[in-house]
């Protein structure tokens, strides 16, 4: 059941089948059903993606396909092994309005939220879902959703932000993109190059932890990205095959981490990924990241383990105003520990002082 709740059931079923492992019939049946359901969801997601990418191409828009739809198609053995709850596409700020008009024309309904309220998320401020799908019953856990249709989130940046904590790797991203065919029914589209992809997923995983959001799928993302790097290296050594599409430029990776001032987040992500799933890394990467990380945060990262990840990602639901207020203080204590400077720590606590802009205040108004 934990594998199902964490979004890992398709991968577990695939691995057990590959290894020829024997399971109790009931457990095997549950995993098989979950895997088959994910195959259907994956097919539906790529049908959605094909429709949107085709419409964008006709309008001469070139979005960058992010995270799940890119990883499932290009890094996992088969797309169904990488569950996802939404389709993330990066547009320029200048083309974002046009992209939203395309989604409306395809039958999606849009919801917008100000980046100045709530958690202060800025990378996307709108979500689009087809109206019929929007009436489907919501589930607290996206990996348990029975619906096939998925939300589309048009991004205008790759900034990770949460209650005043923020790091942005958007500058220069579009100039370095690769191109890939994610589904045969759609034109080729832009995707992040491997070096930027690893940086992005490290930050995404770490901010999931900070938010208390499900994180185990992002953890396996880090594994498949780095495994492809080492497999590609072996292939280049034994043949003339062109494996550059999965090549991570490690020194360039460190340079971009330095430029983005993201070392603490990346160190946490890769340290946990190495501890928990054996992510293969060059020996100099973690020490170089540690040099750029404040000592207090470095010590916390050294102590992080599976219990920490489980604690952060399995929090109790908020059932009352008292729960929300208590969680607000507790979460900001956690968030502020990640801030590398006192100025950034104060920016986190300002989001609590500015109570009228919080989700709790919005709820009370209603």
């Amino acid at each position: 059941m934990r594998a199902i709740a964490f979004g890992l059931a398709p991968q577990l079923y695939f691995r057990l089948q590959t290894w020829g492992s024997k399971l109790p019939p009931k457990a095997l049946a549950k995993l098989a059903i979950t895997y088959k359901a994910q195959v259907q969801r994956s097919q539906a997601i790529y049908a959605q993606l094909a429709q949107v990418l085709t419409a964008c191409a006709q309008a001469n828009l070139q979005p960058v396909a992010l995270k799940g739809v890119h990883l499932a198609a290009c890094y996992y053995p088969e797309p169904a092994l990488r569950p996802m709850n939404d389709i993330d596409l990066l547009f320029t700020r200048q083309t974002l309005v046009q992209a939203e008009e395309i989604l409306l024309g395809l039958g999606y309904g849009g919801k917008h939220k100000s980046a100045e309220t709530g958690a202060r998320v800025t990378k996307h401020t709108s979500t689009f879902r087809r109206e019929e799908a929007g009436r489907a019953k919501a589930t607290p856990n996206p990996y348990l959703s029975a619906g096939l249709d998925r939300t589309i989130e048009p991004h205008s940046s790759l900034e990770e932000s949460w209650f005043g904590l923020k790091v942005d790797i958007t500058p220069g991203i579009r100039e370095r993109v690769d191109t890939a065919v994610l589904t045969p029914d759609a034109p080729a589209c832009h995707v992040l190059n491997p070096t930027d992809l690893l940086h992005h997923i490290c930050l995404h995983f770490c901010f999931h932890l900070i938010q208390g959001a499900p994180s185990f799928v992002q953890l396996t993302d880090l594994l498949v990205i780095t495994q492809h790097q080492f497999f590609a290296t072996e292939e280049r050594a034994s043949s003339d095959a062109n494996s550059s599409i999965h090549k991570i430029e490690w020194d360039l990776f460190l340079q971009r981490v330095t430029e983005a001032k993201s070392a603490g987040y990346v160190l946490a992500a890769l340290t946990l990924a190495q501890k928990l799933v054996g992510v293969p890394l060059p020996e100099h990467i973690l020490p170089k990241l540690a040099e750029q990380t404040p000592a207090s945060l470095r010590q916390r990262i050294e102590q992080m383990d599976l219990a920490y990840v489980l604690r952060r990602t399995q929090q109790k639901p908020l059932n009352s105003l008292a729960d929300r207020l208590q969680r607000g203080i507790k979460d900001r204590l956690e968030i502020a520990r990640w801030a590398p400077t006192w100025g950034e720590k104060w920016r986190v606590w300002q989001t609590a002082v500015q109570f009228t802009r919080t989700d709790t205040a919005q709820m009370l108004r209603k």
Side-chain angles (χ1 to χ4, degrees), residues 61-357:
L61 293 188
Q62 296 182 319
V64 181
L66 302 173
K67 296 183 289 191
V69 289
H70 175 200
L71 289 162
C74 298
Y75 283 83
Y76 283 82
E78 58 179 79
L81 301 185
R82 208 294 186 176
M84 62 194 90
N85 193 44
D86 47 44
I87 297 172
D88 299 294
L89 299 172
L90 176 66
F91 296 88
T92 65
R93 293 189 185 277
Q94 293 78 10
T95 61
L96 187 60
V97 172
Q98 187 181 358
E100 292 182 346
E101 289 174 352
I102 288 173
L103 291 172
L104 292 172
L106 293 174
Y108 289 83
K111 290 185 177 180
H112 293 74
K113 183 176 181 179
S114 171
E116 300 301 317
T117 60
R120 309 327 197 250
V121 174
T122 60
K123 61 184 178 182
H124 69 87
T125 56
S126 63
T127 58
F128 287 79
R129 197 175 184 97
R130 281 194 267 243
E131 293 183 5
E132 287 297 321
R135 286 197 286 268
K137 186 177 180 181
T139 173
N141 188 323
Y143 304 122
L144 301 179
S145 172
L148 296 180
D149 223 44
R150 285 294 180 259
T151 299
I152 295 180
E153 296 182 345
H155 288 51
S156 60
S157 80
L158 295 183
E159 181 182 85
E160 294 289 351
S161 52
W162 195 249
F163 289 108
L165 200 67
K166 60 177 65 180
V167 59
D168 191 6
I169 63 168
T170 311
I173 281 285
R174 295 192 69 91
E175 289 72 28
R176 302 190 295 262
V177 292
D178 285 337
T179 301
V181 175
L182 303 186
T183 173
D185 300 323
C189 71
H190 289 160
V191 294
L192 297 184
N193 70 63
T195 305
D196 287 332
L197 176 65
L198 178 61
H199 195 183
H200 183 213
I201 298 302
C202 282
L203 296 176
H204 190 59
F205 167 65
C206 193
F207 270 76
H208 264 232
L209 282 180
I210 294 168
Q211 296 166 19
S215 303
F216 285 94
V217 168
Q218 289 71 31
L219 190 63
T220 61
D221 287 344
L222 294 175
L223 178 61
V224 298
I225 293 169
T226 51
Q227 280 182 332
H228 266 282
Q229 158 69 15
F230 280 84
F231 292 156
T233 301
E234 291 173 6
E235 288 174 15
R236 286 194 298 274
S238 61
S239 72
D240 292 329
N242 180 12
S243 302
S244 62
I245 191 170
H246 294 310
K247 183 181 178 183
I248 298 169
E249 301 287 351
W250 288 105
D251 290 339
L252 192 55
F253 174 76
L254 290 173
Q255 178 185 323
R256 290 182 183 154
V257 168
T258 301
E259 291 169 354
K261 300 180 180 178
S262 60
Y265 309 115
V266 175
L267 177 63
L270 292 181
T271 298
L272 280 168
Q274 191 173 73
K275 280 183 183 179
L276 302 184
V277 294
V279 160
L281 296 171
E283 291 184 359
H284 70 291
I285 294 299
L286 294 182
K288 287 290 185 181
L289 291 170
E291 290 175 5
Q292 301 179 50
T293 304
S296 58
L297 180 55
R298 191 167 64 241
Q299 291 168 3
R300 287 193 68 225
I301 292 170
E302 289 171 357
Q303 297 169 358
M304 291 176 185
D305 54 13
L306 178 60
Y308 171 79
V309 178
L310 289 170
R311 188 166 60 250
R312 288 300 304 157
T313 58
Q314 296 186 97
Q315 301 190 57
K316 294 179 180 179
L318 301 174
N319 297 316
S320 67
L321 177 60
D323 287 344
R324 295 182 70 88
L325 293 173
Q326 186 177 30
R327 175 74 64 81
I329 298 300
K330 183 179 177 182
D331 280 354
R332 283 171 178 81
L333 282 169
E334 172 68 19
I335 297 166
R337 291 190 185 109
W338 289 90
T341 67
W342 285 107
E344 289 171 281
K345 290 180 189 296
W346 168 236
R347 192 168 64 197
V348 170
W349 284 106
Q350 274 185 313
T351 65
V353 174
Q354 297 165 339
F355 180 75
T356 57
R357 293 163 60 183

Side-chain angles (χ1 to χ4, degrees), residues 21-35:
S21 303
K22 292 184 178 180
L23 284 180
K26 187 176 180 180
L28 183 61
K30 283 185 177 180
L31 287 176
I33 290 171
T34 305
Y35 170 76

Side-chain angles (χ1 to χ4, degrees), residues 1-12:
M1 287 303 294
R2 281 198 170 192
I4 294 173
F6 293 156
L8 301 177
Q11 292 187 55
L12 179 59

